[in-house]
Amino acid sequence: MRDVAVIGVGLTKFGELWDKSFRQLIAEAGSKAIFDAGVSGNEIDAMYIGSMSSGRFIGQEHIGALVADASGFSQLHIPATRVEGACASGGLAMREGYLSIASGMNDIVVVGGIEKMNDVGGNFATETLATAADQEWEAFFGVTFPGLYAMIAMRHMHEYGTTKEQLAQVAVKNHANGILNPYAQYQRKITLEQALNATMVAYPLGLMDCSPVTDGAASVILCAAEKTKKFTDKPVKIIASGQGSDTLALHSRRDICTLDATVHAAKMAYKQANLKSSNIDLAEVHDCFTIAEICAIEDLGFVEKGQGGKAVENKITTLDGSLPVNTSGGLKSKGHPVGATGVAQIVEITQQLRGEAEKRQVKDARIGLAHNIGGSGATCTVHILEAV
Ligand code: COA
């Protein structure tokens, strides 16, 4: 296998973007990344695009070709493939791009992720997101994603004594980081009281425990490590790519508080990188709900099972803590345009490892991890990146 590096990144602002179309968003993120890398269209061997449900959100399928076209590459006939794995679509697109270079098939690949979720009403968006749950056993009976993660939270509170305050502290931390990220949907501070007293969505998860409904796109340019010199003196090497899967329905799992797809993907990634969780300097984890961040830091091995809530309370995961988590603001504050999220996490880690994260820069960051989940944990990708 060949080594692979990130040589360019691009992101749109995340939020309710009424004045921008799907085409404009992906073209903006893609052209920023291409400009950042300094590659030209005829050097690109392939494109992989993560998008969860463009058919329902904007009535448009056939996204691979559309993205190549919107990027101005239709005349180059570049192979362009859409990748889908619910909210892990971006992480999966990243892994496909990585594998295609590692295998020797391609030298330079564009990876994109996009979702435009606000063109439909709230109920329809909730129903669309629920298509990533098990239709027969979950969605048919009316359960939504906030509902599924609420069940995980209730069980976690019961098993490990995790508190509503600890959940709220995840939101307070991620909003504090989001203020420092000009691309974040919510650049506003929230207090513990505001988080605890927010409108209830699905007990114990209130509004501030939930990621929002977001429009946005992200893109990265990957390159065979031996060919990066022509483009950048700051390549960021991808030292591992892990993936795991699990049952679609929560009730079939051995333990709903442990996302075994994460455990498996992390094990695969640590093995490939020849690293332990203690070697990671910072992480972007999939905090679609506050309880998801607590489970993630446990399942990635940063803290013992059941200790995630305590770790947040003890401020281990704040920007100046021993393991900063979701320096971008995470899904909670930066926003969660589902297909774009996994790619946006790579953008943040790359900026951090290049020392370009400005006010949210983690000092001496050398090794970063990105963790992307699909649904309630049926799909997971874990990537580990290292500053060269
Ligand atoms: N966090 C903070 N504020 C939020 C928010 C969130 N998650 N969602 C909405 N808001 C704010 C809006 O900005 C708006 O504020 P304003 O009145 O100052 O403009 C206000 O709350 C009402 O917004 P609205 O869009 O009407 O909210 P809603 O009730 O339709 O949606 C949720 C709220 C929680 C239901 C929605 O954000 C949601 O479904 N989140 C989960 C998404 C999801 O499941 N993703 C997949 C995960 S696997």
Side-chain angles (χ1 to χ4, degrees):
M1 288 226 306
R2 294 195 303 172
D3 286 341
V4 182
V6 179
I7 58 167
V9 296
L11 201 62
T12 66
K13 168 96 175 110
F14 281 11
E16 294 188 21
L17 307 177
W18 305 109
D19 56 345
K20 288 196 176 158
S21 70
F22 186 94
R23 267 189 166 78
Q24 285 171 312
L25 288 176
I26 196 66
E28 181 184 327
S31 56
K32 280 181 179 169
I34 286 168
F35 184 75
D36 186 35
V39 297
S40 61
N42 51 22
E43 289 174 301
I44 297 167
D45 296 315
M47 303 175 83
Y48 293 91
I49 317 300
S51 182
M52 174 187 159
S53 202
S54 53
R56 284 180 62 105
F57 283 125
I58 60 157
Q60 175 74 62
E61 302 290 11
H62 211 165
I63 293 307
L66 179 138
V67 169
D69 185 9
S71 310
F73 297 146
S74 58
Q75 300 307 312
L76 296 174
H77 310 292
I78 297 170
T81 309
R82 181 240 186 113
V83 182
E84 189 275 317
C87 308
S89 299
L92 290 178
M94 178 69 194
R95 188 166 148 81
E96 290 305 310
Y98 166 81
L99 292 174
S100 80
I101 295 177
S103 71
M105 173 73 92
N106 296 319
D107 284 338
I108 296 182
V109 165
V110 176
V111 175
I114 177 158
E115 216 74 55
K116 189 142 184 18
M117 303 170 72
N118 282 292
D119 289 7
V120 297
N123 288 349
F124 193 78
T126 299
E127 236 181 64
T128 299
L129 290 165
T131 61
D134 190 310
Q135 285 302 306
E136 215 171 325
W137 291 104
E138 295 176 331
F140 177 79
F141 297 99
V143 73
T144 60
F145 268 103
L148 287 169
Y149 277 91
M151 288 187 228
I152 297 175
M154 286 300 278
R155 190 72 205 169
H156 208 281
M157 290 162 105
H158 173 76
E159 290 279 343
Y160 304 113
T162 302
T163 63
K164 245 182 122 332
E165 284 73 12
Q166 291 168 344
L167 296 176
Q169 276 161 345
V170 173
V172 171
K173 167 184 74 71
N174 289 350
H175 272 259
N177 292 346
I179 295 171
L180 307 176
N181 184 352
Y183 292 88
Q185 179 161 2
Y186 295 125
Q187 284 170 280
R188 62 171 185 246
K189 183 181 149 96
I190 58 165
T191 64
L192 193 63
E193 289 65 37
Q194 281 169 324
L196 286 169
N197 297 326
T199 307
M200 190 49 62
V201 176
Y203 191 85
L205 305 178
L207 185 65
M208 293 302 156
D209 291 295
C210 303
S211 60
V213 171
T214 310
D215 307 325
S219 181
V220 302
I221 313 296
L222 305 184
C223 179
E226 76 239 27
K227 302 201 172 180
T228 57
K229 268 205 175 63
K230 179 179 169 196
F231 305 105
T232 178
D233 53 5
K234 277 195 203 168
V236 170
K237 207 162 134 190
I238 302 165
I239 55 174
S241 173
Q243 185 183 342
S245 63
D246 205 341
T247 63
L248 217 52
L250 261 189
H251 71 261
S252 306
R253 308 230 178 115
R254 70 176 174 88
D255 164 21
I256 67 167
C257 296
T258 303
L259 275 63
D260 276 334
T262 296
V263 175
H264 186 83
K267 203 167 147 196
M268 193 188 271
Y270 291 140
K271 186 171 172 208
Q272 185 187 350
N274 197 20
L275 290 176
K276 296 194 181 99
S277 56
S278 55
N279 297 119
I280 304 296
D281 295 324
L282 81 155
E284 286 288 297
V285 310
H286 197 95
D287 60 320
C288 50
F289 300 94
T290 50
I291 184 62
E293 178 165 319
I294 287 175
C295 291
I297 60 175
E298 296 170 352
D299 298 339
L300 290 164
F302 297 140
V303 298
E304 266 178 48
K305 192 75 220 165
Q307 296 305 304
K310 272 263 174 305
V312 174
E313 189 180 317
N314 292 335
K315 305 205 180 312
I316 285 169
T317 53
T318 57
L319 202 47
D320 55 0
S322 56
L323 178 71
V325 170
N326 286 331
T327 56
S328 67
L331 285 52
K332 172 68 203 80
S333 170
K334 182 180 61 181
H336 184 25
V338 287
T341 284
V343 184
Q345 292 175 326
I346 302 290
V347 172
E348 175 69 11
I349 296 289
T350 301
Q351 288 176 332
Q352 287 281 358
L353 299 184
R354 282 173 172 182
E356 293 171 357
E358 301 181 341
K359 289 181 184 159
R360 34 180 224 293
Q361 182 63 47
V362 174
K363 202 165 164 275
D364 300 328
R366 290 206 52 78
I367 299 178
L369 179 148
H371 161 259
N372 190 200
I373 282 284
S376 62
T379 300
C380 177
T381 61
V382 171
H383 288 96
I384 305 179
L385 286 79
E386 184 179 22
V388 177

